[in-house]
Amino acid sequence: MPPALHVEAVRGTVWNQIAPPTDGWTPVTLPDSWAERWPGFDGVVWYRLTWKQPAQAAEAGLLLHYLNMAGEVSLNGTTISRDESLVEPLTRAWNVPRYWLLAPPLLKPGADNTLLVRVSGLFAYQAGLGPVSLGPPAALQADYEKERLVRRDLQVLGLAVSAAVSAFFAALWLLRRRETAYGWFAVMSVLWLLFGYNQIATSPWPFASNHSWQALNTSLFLAFCVSYIVFALRFCAWRMPRLEAAALLVALAGVLDLWLASGASLPVHRAIWTLAGGLTIIAVNSASILHALRHRTSPMRSLAPFMAVSAATAAHDLLVFTQVIDSNIYYTTMSSYVLLLGMALTQAGRFVSSLKRIENFNTELIEEVNAAKAELAATLAQQHALELAHARIGERVNLASDLHDGLGGMLVGSIATLERTPENLSAPELLAMLKRLRDDLRLIIEATGRHDGARAFGELLAPLRHRTSQLLDANGIDCRWQVSNIETLELPPSQSLDLLRFLQEALTNVLKHSASRRVDVAVMRDGAELKLSVRDDGRGFVVDGTDKASGTGLRSLRARARRLGAELQLQSQPGETQLALRMPLAPAA
């Protein structure tokens, strides 16, 4: 069983007092705050703890939960601990637990032992001495670990988490500027980080006194309250410019009041503004919870339970600050974990909701894409069918044109011959006429049915030249040909057929319409061009550049010229008509 401690206290006379006074000792109980016993006293108070150490105990553990603000500890006249500064600026050791393992040389087994604690403090900040425990080392070591966890480790962890969260939400706001709630939460976290540093700070640096440090700390708290109000409004998607402006003005007034107050009156001003800030936080949390209860779609619903915890810890810390609760442990800094956890879970919920919307959008998009693909496939199939139909119609038009220009021309010539001198035609001549018609039909079939490469144009021209010359001569038209430089000219079958049909149609027109006596035909290769010319001495006609005013023959000639990519020139007057075609030749491979 641990020995009973007898505790006494006496007020020192000066800050630098080395030894306690010999008289004036007053019995006290721990924890002790001298604000009521010696109101308004700033300085040194000596605490003397005495007990009789059992003779059988080899060693003992000593736990001092806290002293406020700085101090020195000695056991039986031997100093075992001393803070760095025992005068202003005082070492801020108010939240530092201390543990010692008291070895036998320091103890007096079976006799009275004295623990002397010198405390340098300021009455406005709950100056005094916390609980002191003496007993088995193992038990007190465990108690010390718990005290350090609550007073130091969790506080440091809370500040580190605040720093990380503020950086995260600041980056989130930079990426999504319209989400102003994230920006204000980042500002709020930074201010809370600076304010919460008071829990672990061991020096009032850069100030020369703890009064200035507390003025700064309370100013940060007021700024945090303003940012907390704006964050809650933004998070609820509310805009209250007047309330925000009023909160900012009140906070500015508080900051000015704190820094303009004199050192003696500063504690009172600090207490007032700290109480106002704490009540503001409780009010904001309460209003947010009510808003979440009234509006089911409010984003605050996910954050309301965590704000309830924040409100409870704020109320507790206000009671500790006003000394209604006899303690110096503040939970608000540690409860910041809860609010940060709430924000993290809220953000995670939003992220999951966004993922679901994206998945649904992807599903809808896939369905729409499949429908569009099916519609496109149907459209392409329809277009392909139309293209096939157009190709077939084109082939039929070309075939009709070839029949008109070739076989039709031969039939016209043959009919004209039969009409002119039917009685003079012998059987061999009639047979030759039919063979020419057969040969022309064979040319159409071969040209339209075979696509096995280019053929010498001269070889195809010779039969046409022979047949048309005979036909024209039989109808009293002198046909003269001039052919040059086409012996080695090879053309694709389609071009060869179009050229032959061009000549055949031109000569058929001469036979049918010109009433001429002579026609000159020229076919020559001139460099990279092939030139065709048909000139007669007939009656002529009026040249019209459009196909609408032209006959079937001229329209066919122009259509073939376009297919060949050639230039067609037509000149006509009484006594002379000339048709000229200039076709560029593809370069030799």
Side-chain angles (χ1 to χ4, degrees), residues 92-144:
R92 298 181 55 80
W94 65 276
N95 208 24
V96 179
R98 306 159 194 252
Y99 171 77
W100 298 275
L101 178 62
L102 304 179
L106 291 175
L107 296 172
K108 298 177 181 179
D112 290 336
N113 288 261
T114 301
L115 182 72
L116 190 63
V117 182
R118 172 187 172 180
V119 177
S120 297
L122 305 170
F123 87 99
Y125 310 126
Q126 303 179 20
L129 181 63
V132 176
S133 302
L134 183 70
L140 291 184
Q141 175 73 31
D143 291 343
Y144 167 73

Side-chain angles (χ1 to χ4, degrees), residues 378-582:
T379 303
L380 290 176
Q382 183 179 6
Q383 183 179 359
H384 181 65
L386 289 175
E387 289 177 352
L388 287 177
H390 291 164
R392 290 168 183 164
I393 292 172
E395 291 175 355
R396 292 172 183 174
V397 170
N398 292 336
L399 181 59
S401 178
D402 290 336
L403 290 172
H404 171 270
D405 296 346
L407 188 61
M410 295 294 294
L411 285 172
V412 169
S414 299
I415 292 171
T417 301
L418 289 172
E419 288 178 346
R420 185 171 299 178
T421 56
E423 67 282 354
N424 297 330
L425 283 177
S426 61
E429 290 176 338
L430 185 58
L431 180 60
M433 186 182 300
L434 293 175
K435 287 183 178 180
R436 288 195 296 269
L437 292 173
R438 181 201 60 190
D439 294 339
D440 192 86
L441 181 60
R442 183 178 296 168
L443 176 63
I444 294 173
I445 294 171
E446 290 180 352
T448 56
R450 294 179 56 187
H451 302 279
D452 55 355
R455 295 181 62 184
F457 181 62
E459 295 179 4
L460 297 174
L461 180 62
L464 177 66
R465 175 181 176 183
H466 176 70
R467 291 196 305 269
T468 55
S469 295
Q470 286 186 338
L471 183 61
L472 291 169
D473 288 341
N475 287 274
I477 301 175
D478 183 16
C479 182
R480 300 185 182 185
W481 289 77
Q482 181 183 357
V483 180
S484 61
N485 298 329
I486 66 168
E487 294 81 4
T488 59
L489 176 61
E490 292 186 352
L491 296 173
S494 59
Q495 285 190 344
S496 297
L497 183 59
D498 278 331
L499 288 171
L500 295 176
R501 289 294 179 250
F502 183 88
L503 288 172
Q504 198 169 30
E505 177 65 19
L507 294 174
T508 299
N509 288 340
V510 171
L511 177 64
K512 291 168 60 177
H513 307 297
S514 68
S516 62
R517 291 291 177 264
R518 175 175 170 174
V519 60
D520 294 303
V521 182
V523 180
M524 63 183 64
R525 181 179 184 178
D526 185 7
E529 286 185 334
L530 179 64
K531 296 180 179 180
L532 277 68
S533 174
V534 178
R535 184 174 60 188
D536 66 75
D537 58 355
R539 63 171 67 98
F541 59 92
V542 178
V543 178
D544 191 335
T546 63
D547 288 343
K548 293 182 180 180
S550 304
T552 304
L554 287 179
R555 286 199 300 271
S556 177
L557 291 174
R558 290 193 176 103
R560 293 190 186 278
R562 285 193 296 269
R563 285 206 299 268
L564 291 168
E567 178 185 353
L568 177 62
Q569 294 180 349
L570 179 60
Q571 297 177 353
S572 182
Q573 61 184 1
E576 182 179 6
T577 297
Q578 182 173 2
L579 189 68
L581 182 75
R582 298 177 60 183

Side-chain angles (χ1 to χ4, degrees), residues 10-230:
V10 64
R11 184 169 63 176
T13 55
V14 294
W15 279 98
N16 291 320
Q17 191 173 16
I18 299 176
T22 56
D23 54 3
W25 290 92
T26 302
V28 297
T29 57
L30 299 181
D32 176 66
S33 173
W34 70 61
E36 294 182 2
R37 186 182 309 109
W38 297 303
F41 175 68
D42 295 339
V44 176
V45 170
W46 297 85
Y47 291 88
R48 185 169 60 192
L49 292 79
T50 57
W51 74 95
K52 187 170 184 178
Q53 181 69 17
Q56 68 275 16
E59 58 183 10
L62 177 63
L63 173 62
L64 194 158
H65 292 247
Y66 66 88
L67 58 83
N68 194 357
M69 183 82 65
E72 180 181 14
V73 182
S74 60
L75 176 62
N76 295 327
T78 301
T79 301
I80 60 176
S81 174
R82 187 181 191 281
D83 290 326
E84 183 177 355
S85 178
L86 300 179
V87 297
E88 279 283 38
L90 292 171
T91 298
R92 298 181 55 80
W94 65 276
N95 208 24
V96 179
R98 306 159 194 252
Y99 171 77
W100 298 275
L101 178 62
L102 304 179
L106 291 175
L107 296 172
K108 298 177 181 179
D112 290 336
N113 288 261
T114 301
L115 182 72
L116 190 63
V117 182
R118 172 187 172 180
V119 177
S120 297
L122 305 170
F123 87 99
Y125 310 126
Q126 303 179 20
L129 181 63
V132 176
S133 302
L134 183 70
L140 291 184
Q141 175 73 31
D143 291 343
Y144 167 73
E145 296 295 338
K146 294 178 182 178
E147 284 285 314
R148 183 166 182 87
L149 176 67
V150 174
R151 293 180 177 275
R152 303 292 295 182
D153 296 344
L154 290 179
Q155 308 288 352
V156 172
L157 179 60
L159 297 178
V161 171
S162 296
V165 168
S166 62
F168 171 76
F169 280 98
L172 190 60
W173 172 73
L174 289 174
L175 295 174
R176 296 175 60 86
R177 293 293 183 88
R178 68 175 182 271
E179 300 285 354
T180 55
Y182 295 147
W184 281 105
F185 191 82
V187 172
M188 185 181 76
S189 299
V190 171
L191 292 172
W192 185 254
L193 171 66
L194 298 175
F195 170 72
Y197 179 68
N198 179 65
Q199 300 289 321
I200 62 172
T202 57
S203 169
W205 182 90
F207 302 106
S209 70
N210 277 277
H211 290 314
S212 298
W213 173 268
Q214 293 297 343
L216 173 64
N217 196 247
T218 308
S219 299
L220 291 171
F221 183 56
L222 292 176
F224 166 79
C225 292
V226 174
S227 63
Y228 194 41
I229 292 173
V230 179

Side-chain angles (χ1 to χ4, degrees), residues 248-363:
L248 180 60
L249 290 176
V250 171
L252 289 175
V255 172
L256 290 175
D257 179 64
L258 288 167
W259 289 99
L260 294 177
S262 62
S265 62
L266 176 63
V268 177
H269 292 258
R270 167 183 171 267
I272 293 173
W273 289 111
T274 301
L275 184 62
L279 293 175
T280 299
I281 292 177
I282 294 175
V284 171
N285 288 330
S286 301
S288 300
I289 294 170
L290 289 176
H291 179 269
L293 292 175
R294 291 178 180 177
H295 302 84
R296 292 189 175 183
T297 59
S298 171
M300 192 62 76
R301 289 183 69 87
S302 60
L303 204 58
F306 306 98
M307 298 188 85
V309 176
S310 177
T313 56
H316 170 271
D317 288 358
L318 280 181
L319 295 176
V320 172
F321 178 76
T322 55
Q323 297 185 356
V324 175
I325 296 178
D326 190 10
S327 173
N328 81 329
I329 298 179
Y330 295 90
Y331 294 106
T332 305
T333 304
M334 292 179 285
S335 71
S336 62
Y337 302 147
V338 179
L339 189 58
L340 296 176
L341 176 62
M343 280 298 293
L345 292 178
T346 300
Q347 190 62 27
R350 288 187 174 184
F351 180 71
V352 171
S353 177
S354 298
L355 281 181
K356 289 182 179 178
R357 287 198 300 269
I358 291 173
E359 290 173 355
N360 293 335
F361 173 76
N362 287 339
T363 302

